[in-house]
């Protein structure tokens, strides 16, 4: 009897503990040791009364597995995108039915192209092909314009802008700055009006020298520039510095040659790559002036000019105007270039040409050079009128005065420039003359 009661009481306790444990497990409340002691529940895990079957996990389908693998691979590829080629980006685009992945792939392809991971050789070849097509079109257009401008003009001023040849289209020489030439010469045309020498300083400022002495000095400086093989820009800048200084400073007769060699020294330092030494300029004057005298004059000239040496001269405009004159010629004539330079240099020794602007002298030199070589066609055309900004009628006075220098109607004995351009390397252009005076062209 006792055994039955004790057995039933034990079963009753086990049943209570099991019920309490199940209640606690069903609730989400955390079971602590104090709470378990109050409830009379043991904290040791109880073994299940039956063997629990393992939970079956459904296997993913092939499509879902492929999609998951694609996501993982795409994530890794994006992490090392800078080290891969376009083939990885193409695999991202080929995601099965995923529009967002395709857009993401296109964006990554664009990023790859921007980072320079495209085929460089293929891009270069494509660019070269496009440039060749553009040049073919430009050359065809230029040849068409040249044919139009080649026709004989009737002598009147032409203003048809459609006949103007673009002289900056196919220029490969970097010294012409073809991309910025138009803007540069816009500024130069404005700058030539500033810092111009006085046209009457021989009367207002100078009392000890006259235009003839000035011409003798410049004629001698031409020989000096030939002796040291100086650039023509150096000679033009030298004359400009002399005239600008004498426009406001009185110079004695015995110091005129000192001013000339000093201005050539300054111009050589500005224009030449290897300028002659100071001692050489003293030697060329037969040591008439000492080294200290030349240095003192150099300081005086530079302080007066405030070191403003960047001024447009006739040579500055002459390069561009010669290029415009040869734009419509099938074969450019080197004699025309030499003649234009010859006429421009003849004006350096003449004081009276200070009244003309440098661009006007350069345009007149090209006009007279074309007329000297060809009297059957009018020397002026729309291209020259466009780039020089002068009509043919506006050059009449300058061209006639320049022709007088060519024919030496005044009987000048200054022959340095004529001797220079009578050499074979300049095609002896100093001996060329026109059988008909240019005045007949303006009287038509």
């Amino acid at each position: 009897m006792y055994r039955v009661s004790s057995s039933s009481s034990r079963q009753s306790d086990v049943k209570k503990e099991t019920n309490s444990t199940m209640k606690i497990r069903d609730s989400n409340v955390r079971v602590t040791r104090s709470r378990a002691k109050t409830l009379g529940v043991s904290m040791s895990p109880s073994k299940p009364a039956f063997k629990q079957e393992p939970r079956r996990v459904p296997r993913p389908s092939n499509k879902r597995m492929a999609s998951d693998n694609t996501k993982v691979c795409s994530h890794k590829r994006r992490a090392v995108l800078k080290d891969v080629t376009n083939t990885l980006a193409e695999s991202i685009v080929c995601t099965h039915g995923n529009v967002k992945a395709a857009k993401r792939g296109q964006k990554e392809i664009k990023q790859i192209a921007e980072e320079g991971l495209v085929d460089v050789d293929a891009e270069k070849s494509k660019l070269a092909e496009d440039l060749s097509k553009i040049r073919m079109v430009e050359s065809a257009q230029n040849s068409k314009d040249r044919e139009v401008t080649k026709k004989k003009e009737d002598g009147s001023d032409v203003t048809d802008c459609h006949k103007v040849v673009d002289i900056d289209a196919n220029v490969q020489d970097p010294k012409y700055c073809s991309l910025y030439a138009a803007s540069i010469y816009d500024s130069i045309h404005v700058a030539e009006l500033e810092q111009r020498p006085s046209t009457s300083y021989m009367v207002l400022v100078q009392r000890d020298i006259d235009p003839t002495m000035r011409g003798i000095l410049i004629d001698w400086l031409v020989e000096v520039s030939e002796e040291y093989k100086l650039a023509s820009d150096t000679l033009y800048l030298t004359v400009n510095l002399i005239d600008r200084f004498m426009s406001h400073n009185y110079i004695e007769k015995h110091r005129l040659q000192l001013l000339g060699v000093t201005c050539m020294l300054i111009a050589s330092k500005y224009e030449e790559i290897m300028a002659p030494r100071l001692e050489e300029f003293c030697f060329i004057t037969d040591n008439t002036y000492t080294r200290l005298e030349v240095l003192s004059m150099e300081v005086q000239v530079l302080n007066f000019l405030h070191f403003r040496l960047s001024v447009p001269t006739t040579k500055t405009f002459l390069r561009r105007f010669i290029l415009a004159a040869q734009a419509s010629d099938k074969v450019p004539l080197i004699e025309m270039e030499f003649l234009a330079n010859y006429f421009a240099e003849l004006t350096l020794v003449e004081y009276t040409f200070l009244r003309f602007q440098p661009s006007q002298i350069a345009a007149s030199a090209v006009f007279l050079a074309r007329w000297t070589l060809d009297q059957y066609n009018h020397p002026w055309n729309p291209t020259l009128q466009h780039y020089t900004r002068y009509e043919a009628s506006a050059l009449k006075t300058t061209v006639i005065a320049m022709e007088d220098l060519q024919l030496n109607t005044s009987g000048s004995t200054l022959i340095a420039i004529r001797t220079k351009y009578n050499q074979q390397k300049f095609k002896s252009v100093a001996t060329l003359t026109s059988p008909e005076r240019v005045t007949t062209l303006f009287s038509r």
Side-chain angles (χ1 to χ4, degrees):
M1 197 62 189
Y2 174 76
R3 291 178 180 175
V4 173
S5 60
S6 66
S7 176
S8 61
S9 63
R10 188 180 298 115
Q11 292 178 357
S12 175
D13 294 338
V14 170
K15 188 175 182 181
K16 289 180 181 181
E17 184 178 355
T18 303
N19 293 335
S20 300
T21 304
M22 293 298 294
K23 289 180 180 180
I24 293 172
R25 289 178 179 177
D26 292 339
S27 63
N28 295 327
V29 182
R30 181 181 178 185
V31 179
T32 60
R33 291 183 180 274
S34 60
R35 186 177 181 84
K37 186 176 180 180
T38 304
L39 296 176
V41 180
S42 176
M43 292 294 294
S44 60
S46 58
K47 298 181 180 180
F50 58 91
K51 184 178 181 180
Q52 185 177 2
E53 295 182 0
R55 185 177 179 180
R56 297 184 63 185
V57 180
R59 297 181 64 183
S61 63
N62 293 334
K63 294 183 178 180
R64 183 176 179 182
M65 185 179 295
S67 176
D68 293 339
N69 292 337
T70 304
K71 292 179 181 180
V72 174
C73 293
S74 64
H75 174 72
K76 290 183 179 180
R77 287 166 183 166
R78 282 197 296 272
V80 292
L81 190 61
K82 296 181 179 180
D83 301 329
V84 297
T85 60
N86 289 340
T87 55
L88 296 180
E90 292 175 359
S91 63
I92 298 174
V93 180
C94 297
T95 308
H96 296 283
N98 196 339
V99 179
K100 292 183 179 180
K103 292 181 178 179
R104 200 162 50 242
Q106 293 176 359
K107 185 183 294 184
E108 290 168 354
I109 291 174
K110 183 178 181 181
Q111 182 180 358
I112 293 173
E114 292 176 351
E115 293 178 356
L117 298 178
V118 296
D119 190 355
V120 179
D121 295 334
E123 291 295 326
K124 285 184 177 180
S125 61
K126 183 179 179 181
L127 181 60
E129 184 179 355
D130 294 340
L131 288 176
S132 64
K133 292 181 180 178
I134 294 174
R135 287 173 180 172
M136 289 175 62
V137 174
E138 289 179 349
S139 62
Q141 183 65 31
N142 289 336
S143 62
K144 183 178 179 180
D145 293 338
R146 286 169 185 165
E147 290 178 359
V148 174
T149 55
K150 190 63 179 178
K151 295 180 179 180
K152 182 178 180 180
E153 303 292 343
D154 56 355
S156 59
D157 296 331
V158 184
T159 58
D160 190 0
C161 298
H162 298 288
K163 296 181 181 180
V164 175
V165 180
D166 186 6
I167 64 176
D168 300 316
N170 297 317
V171 176
Q172 302 297 330
D173 195 340
K175 73 180 179 182
Y176 287 102
C177 302
S178 58
L179 293 177
Y180 314 102
S183 300
I184 290 173
Y185 278 89
D186 286 341
S187 301
I188 290 178
H189 276 282
V190 175
E192 73 169 336
L193 300 177
E194 305 171 354
Q195 304 179 21
R196 288 188 62 190
S198 173
T199 60
S200 58
Y201 70 83
M202 284 292 181
V203 178
L204 300 178
V205 180
Q206 304 302 325
R207 299 185 301 273
D208 201 20
I209 61 176
D210 55 22
T212 302
M213 295 179 183
R214 174 190 175 276
I216 294 173
L217 172 66
I218 295 174
D219 189 74
W220 175 74
L221 289 175
V222 172
E223 295 179 355
V224 175
S225 65
E226 282 291 292
E227 178 70 22
Y228 290 106
K229 295 180 172 57
L230 303 179
S232 57
D233 298 82
T234 305
L235 179 62
Y236 281 95
L237 182 58
T238 300
V239 177
N240 178 270
L241 297 179
I242 292 173
D243 290 328
R244 286 166 61 193
F245 184 81
M246 289 199 302
S247 296
H248 302 279
N249 297 272
Y250 171 73
I251 293 292
E252 296 85 357
K253 184 189 302 183
H254 67 276
R255 299 180 72 243
L256 181 60
Q257 189 179 14
L258 174 62
L259 175 64
V261 295
T262 303
C263 290
M264 180 161 279
L265 173 64
I266 297 172
S268 299
K269 292 180 179 179
Y270 186 81
E271 295 287 354
E272 301 292 333
I273 298 176
M274 295 292 293
R277 295 181 296 111
L278 174 61
E279 291 75 14
E280 295 180 358
F281 285 105
C282 295
F283 173 77
I284 204 70
T285 63
D286 197 16
N287 294 320
T288 304
Y289 308 102
T290 63
R291 186 174 184 274
L292 292 179
E293 287 178 322
V294 176
L295 290 176
S296 176
M297 179 60 73
E298 182 183 15
V299 172
Q300 187 178 352
V301 172
L302 289 175
N303 286 335
F304 171 75
L305 299 176
H306 302 287
F307 289 84
R308 295 177 181 175
L309 305 179
S310 299
V311 292
T313 62
T314 302
K315 186 64 177 181
T316 307
F317 296 97
L318 198 57
R319 287 193 180 93
R320 187 162 179 82
F321 296 170
I322 290 175
L323 189 65
Q326 296 175 341
S328 58
D329 297 337
K330 294 182 179 180
V331 179
L333 293 176
I334 191 66
E335 289 83 358
M336 195 278 296
E337 181 177 352
F338 290 152
L339 263 178
N341 282 281
Y342 169 58
F343 295 149
E345 287 190 22
L346 283 178
T347 63
L348 292 176
V349 298
E350 293 295 326
Y351 170 76
T352 55
F353 273 81
L354 289 179
R355 69 182 190 271
F356 301 118
Q357 298 178 10
S359 61
Q360 189 175 0
I361 295 175
S364 301
V366 173
F367 189 104
L368 186 58
R370 288 172 62 87
W371 169 255
T372 303
L373 295 174
D374 183 11
Q375 294 82 39
Y376 296 100
N377 295 313
H378 196 280
W380 218 237
N381 55 38
T383 303
L384 281 168
Q385 180 175 322
H386 172 75
Y387 287 103
T388 63
R389 305 183 183 185
Y390 290 102
E391 298 179 354
S393 58
L395 301 175
K396 178 180 179 180
T397 304
T398 315
V399 170
I400 294 175
M402 192 175 292
E403 189 184 36
D404 291 338
L405 293 180
Q406 179 191 13
L407 301 176
N408 195 15
T409 56
S410 62
S412 175
T413 58
L414 305 177
I415 60 172
I417 297 175
R418 301 181 190 276
T419 304
K420 172 183 176 181
Y421 282 93
N422 200 21
Q423 302 177 55
Q424 187 59 36
K425 65 177 182 179
F426 293 112
K427 302 294 182 180
S428 302
V429 294
T431 59
L432 297 179
T433 56
S434 172
E436 187 178 359
R437 292 294 299 265
V438 74
T439 53
T440 59
L441 179 64
F442 292 103
S443 60
R444 292 177 184 175

